[in-house]
Amino acid sequence: MPEDRFITIGTLARRTGVAVSAIRFYEEKGLLQALRTKGNQRRFMRSDIRRISFILIAQKLGLGLAEIETELARLPQGRTPTVADWQKVSRSIRKQLDAKIQLLTLTRTKLDQCIGCGCLSLSKCQLYNKDDRAGAAGPGPRFVLD
Amino acid sequence: MPEDRFITIGTLARRTGVAVSAIRFYEEKGLLQALRTKGNQRRFMRSDIRRISFILIAQKLGLGLAEIETELARLPQGRTPTVADWQKVSRSIRKQLDAKIQLLTLTRTKLDQCIGCGCLSLSKCQLYNKDDRAGAAGPGPRFVLD
DNA sequence: GTGCAACCTCAAGCTAAGTTGAGGTCAAGC
DNA sequence: GCTTGACCTCAACTTAGCTTGAGGTTGCAC
């Protein structure tokens, strides 16, 4: 296997700083795809280093793996993504980041009003009303600033 | 039990919109304390309504229950918290909110540079470097914008 | 042709923040 | 005094994002 284009899972792990187990996990979740050798070992493409970089960055921005998968799906299938391809995806998460900052800023304004009156009352407080929560459904960790 | 000061778990649930099971869970975690009747049923204080309001608000701001417990510990023991007591706690989380917004804004700036060059490279990108992650330890969901 | 690191799968475990269910008790109105 | 809804405990399950371990195979270098 003299091919320069393919790398082992260990190499990918070293290059990205991500654990081997995590890479397998990402593959299982569909965020990465790997070829297999005759002996059933994974072989990744060099461009997967960038793909993992993106995963890490997007996680830092608060996206879940499912959302990240959606974003990655915008990349071209079959060919190595170009700079322009990556820019398109990056701009998409930049929008989400923007929205998140706006939401937090708004919340801060409300909190300031709340501190002013000291109420923290569910009925009167701007910050909190039941309707806000009506949509929250299903078990598991929620409330991470949807 | 003609006392106006004590309320049942069901009443507390109705008043806050939080599930009974969640209230028991918060008590177990030490975020709430309850007296017990002879028949072993919980009795909460009216001021716990506000306490739960605070928990909900703080969660919205992205705090975990452990952090919220720390904040709540600033409230006086034994007496019902006053408006001033709540303001002190609110100002504390306002600071944390501020920091979170600043971090996100900084991240956005870096992302913009990244989009500019299209790199998304672990070695060159401002957005990501290994050292950032060195501190992240332990299992469980991390990366929620520490 | 053999030794050993690196790979493989599969199952179980972890944390957070709860929910769901089984099986049983309490309290209040009629 | 009894019925019924609200309460009790305890155990098991949920989702997300992984890690850890057991037990077995590959691939490359000497």
Side-chain angles (χ1 to χ4, degrees), chain B residues 46-67:
Chain B
R46 291 204 156 273
S47 59
D48 286 323
I49 295 174
R50 190 145 299 184
R51 209 173 165 94
I52 291 186
S53 301
F54 177 80
I55 295 173
L56 295 173
I57 291 170
Q59 278 188 321
K60 263 201 141 175
L61 302 184
L63 304 206
L65 291 185
E67 294 160 289

Side-chain angles (χ1 to χ4, degrees), chain A residues 14 16-17 50 53 59-61 87 94 98 107-108 112 115 119-120 122 132-133 143-145, chain B residues 17 50 53 59-61 86-87 94 98 107-108 112 115 119-120 122 130 132-133 143-145:
Chain A
R14 248 172 284 116
T16 58
R50 190 143 299 185
S53 303
Q59 277 188 321
K60 262 199 142 178
L61 302 185
Q87 285 184 336
R94 144 101 218 205
D98 244 21
T107 306
R108 183 171 59 183
D112 283 343
I115 293 176
C119 67
L120 282 174
L122 283 187
D132 276 11
R133 253 171 316 131
F143 295 121
V144 183
L145 298 167
Chain B
R50 190 145 299 184
S53 301
Q59 278 188 321
K60 263 201 141 175
L61 302 184
W86 280 116
Q87 284 184 336
R94 143 103 218 204
D98 245 20
T107 306
R108 184 171 57 182
D112 283 343
I115 293 176
C119 66
L120 284 172
L122 282 187
K130 279 184 192 169
D132 276 9
R133 251 171 320 130
F143 295 121
V144 183
L145 299 166

